[in-house]
């Protein structure tokens, strides 16, 4: 059974005549007769009652017609989703937690309002997790820490993040890693690019962080810092949105460690109309060149 047979069957069921159906699907009558016979043989039932050069649906044919129409409608819907002009269907986006919380809420609202036929799904997590999902095809695109270095991916820089070292209130100014050698750190899992950046900041100054406690949210990190339990690295854009930000001391990292760039990335061969529309909307939302 194939789609061509289903289309032929539907045409014959509608016309009640092989000759008329053949004209509708642009085939010769003998071809339709052969394909319908093959379909009946595959199913093991007669789909038509043949009498006086006319065909009318058998009881089994009536039941099969309903399912064949549903199948063809789903196929047409799938074609529209993947190849149609209007963005529609499932669009799965990944994002760093800070980007999802601060940078893109209004962008996502505009996108879903402009394209109501899109089924939008958002996942947040560390850069490593998001990149793996894009490579696996389970995410159409993701906001991750750049720069982009991968032969299968394409992308563009979108946001510049100023990285702040956050310490308990009253802490002495921190200008280098040796100032806090051996201090406990709160961070995301090991595949988080911000965590790697923090660890590299220590190692470049020949210092070492103390115990690294893995957390699931910036709010959890900040609560631990406020309690005097250690340090955290948080983007300024995220820190300034948190109600308790005034309860900690914070300083930007030194200039060569201070800025990280967030990229929007996608698979090189994974462009869809929905992704194309999202990229265009992202470009329109940017103020211009990155600082």
């Amino acid at each position: 059974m194939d789609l061509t047979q289903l289309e032929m069957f539907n045409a014959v069921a509608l016309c009640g005549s092989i000759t008329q159906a053949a004209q509708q699907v642009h085939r010769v009558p003998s071809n339709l007769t052969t394909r319908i016979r093959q379909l009946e043989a595959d199913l093991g039932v007669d789909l038509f009652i043949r009498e006086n050069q006319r065909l009318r649906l058998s009881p089994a044919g009536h039941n099969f017609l309903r399912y064949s129409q549903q199948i063809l409608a789903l196929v047409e819907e799938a074609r529209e989703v993947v190849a149609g002009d209007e963005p529609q269907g499932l669009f799965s986006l990944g994002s760093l937690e800070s980007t999802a919380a601060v940078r893109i809420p209004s962008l996502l609202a505009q996108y879903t309002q402009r394209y109501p036929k899109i089924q939008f799904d958002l996942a947040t997590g560390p850069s490593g997790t998001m990149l793996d999902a894009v490579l696996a095809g389970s995410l159409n695109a993701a906001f991750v820490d750049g720069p982009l270095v991968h032969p299968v991916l394409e992308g563009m820089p979108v946001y510049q993040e100023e990285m702040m070292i956050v310490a308990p209130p009253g802490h002495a100014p921190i200008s280098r890693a040796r100032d806090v050698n051996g201090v406990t750190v709160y961070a995301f899992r090991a595949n988080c690019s911000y965590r790697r950046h923090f660890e590299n900041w220590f190692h470049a100054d020949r210092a070492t962080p103390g115990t690294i406690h893995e957390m699931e949210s910036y709010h959890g990190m900040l609560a631990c810092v406020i309690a005097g339990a250690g340090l955290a690295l948080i983007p300024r854009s995220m820190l300034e949105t948190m109600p308790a930000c005034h309860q900690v001391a914070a300083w930007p990292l030194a200039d060569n460690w201070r800025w990280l760039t967030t990229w929007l990335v996608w698979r090189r061969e994974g462009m869809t109309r929905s992704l194309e529309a999202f990229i265009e909307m992202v470009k329109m939302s940017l103020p211009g060149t990155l600082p």
Side-chain angles (χ1 to χ4, degrees):
M1 184 192 311
D2 57 38
L3 293 178
T4 300
Q5 284 177 309
L6 294 184
E7 291 169 349
M8 291 178 175
F9 166 74
N10 275 263
V12 175
L14 177 64
C15 297
S17 163
I18 289 288
T19 302
Q20 293 179 23
Q23 293 174 350
Q24 181 175 313
V25 297
H26 308 292
R27 299 293 182 100
V28 296
S30 59
N31 182 245
L32 256 71
T33 299
T34 300
R35 298 302 297 274
I36 294 297
R37 288 293 189 186
Q38 290 174 344
L39 178 60
E40 290 177 318
D42 289 343
L43 295 173
V45 296
D46 289 332
L47 298 174
F48 294 98
I49 299 172
R50 294 162 172 84
E51 53 186 22
N52 300 325
Q53 303 300 315
R54 296 290 298 175
L55 298 178
R56 59 186 178 89
L57 288 170
S58 67
H62 279 288
N63 288 330
F64 187 71
L65 177 62
R66 178 162 53 92
Y67 287 104
S68 68
Q69 289 173 335
Q70 292 175 357
I71 292 170
L72 292 175
L74 285 173
V75 170
E76 183 60 30
E77 180 181 331
R79 286 173 176 154
E80 286 294 323
V81 168
V82 301
D85 292 332
E86 182 180 5
Q88 57 184 296
L90 179 63
F91 180 73
S92 297
L93 178 70
S95 176
L96 298 166
E97 181 180 345
S98 57
T99 304
V102 178
R103 298 291 191 179
I104 62 174
S106 60
L107 171 68
L108 300 185
Q110 294 172 23
Y111 182 66
T112 54
Q113 289 168 9
R114 181 173 297 182
Y115 303 109
K117 290 186 178 181
I118 287 178
Q119 303 168 44
F120 182 78
D121 183 61
L122 176 66
T124 60
S127 283
T129 300
M130 298 297 99
L131 282 171
D132 288 344
V134 172
L135 289 170
S138 56
L139 290 177
N140 296 97
F143 290 99
V144 299
D145 179 42
L148 171 69
V149 183
H150 198 288
V152 177
L153 299 178
E154 291 184 342
M156 62 182 185
V158 285
Y159 308 117
Q160 194 91 336
E161 298 293 354
E162 184 180 18
M163 305 307 296
M164 306 291 290
I165 185 166
V166 182
H171 196 285
I174 300 172
S175 60
R176 57 186 298 181
R178 290 188 189 182
D179 294 338
V180 287
N181 185 50
V183 173
T184 296
V185 165
Y186 293 87
F188 287 114
R189 297 185 296 276
N191 61 350
C192 172
S193 58
Y194 289 175
R195 170 174 168 171
R196 290 197 300 270
H197 188 72
F198 202 12
E199 292 182 81
N200 290 338
W201 175 75
F202 273 96
H203 298 154
D205 200 25
R206 296 185 179 180
T208 305
T211 302
I212 300 177
H213 294 289
E214 295 185 354
M215 307 291 288
E216 295 298 324
S217 72
Y218 284 116
H219 289 86
M221 294 180 199
L222 193 64
C224 292
V225 172
I226 291 172
L231 307 176
L233 187 70
I234 302 178
R236 181 189 287 273
S237 61
M238 182 70 191
L239 180 63
E240 291 179 345
T241 67
M242 303 170 76
C245 65
H246 64 281
Q247 299 181 43
V248 296
W251 303 270
L253 295 183
D255 286 345
N256 55 328
W257 296 94
R258 184 172 181 175
W259 300 98
L260 291 177
T261 304
T262 301
W263 282 59
L264 176 65
V265 300
W266 58 89
R267 285 188 66 94
R268 189 179 303 277
E269 76 286 4
M271 185 60 65
T272 64
R273 185 67 187 91
S274 298
L275 176 55
E276 187 179 65
F278 185 75
I279 292 171
E280 288 304 312
M281 190 167 285
V282 170
K283 290 178 179 178
M284 291 175 61
S285 72
L286 298 178
T289 58
L290 291 174

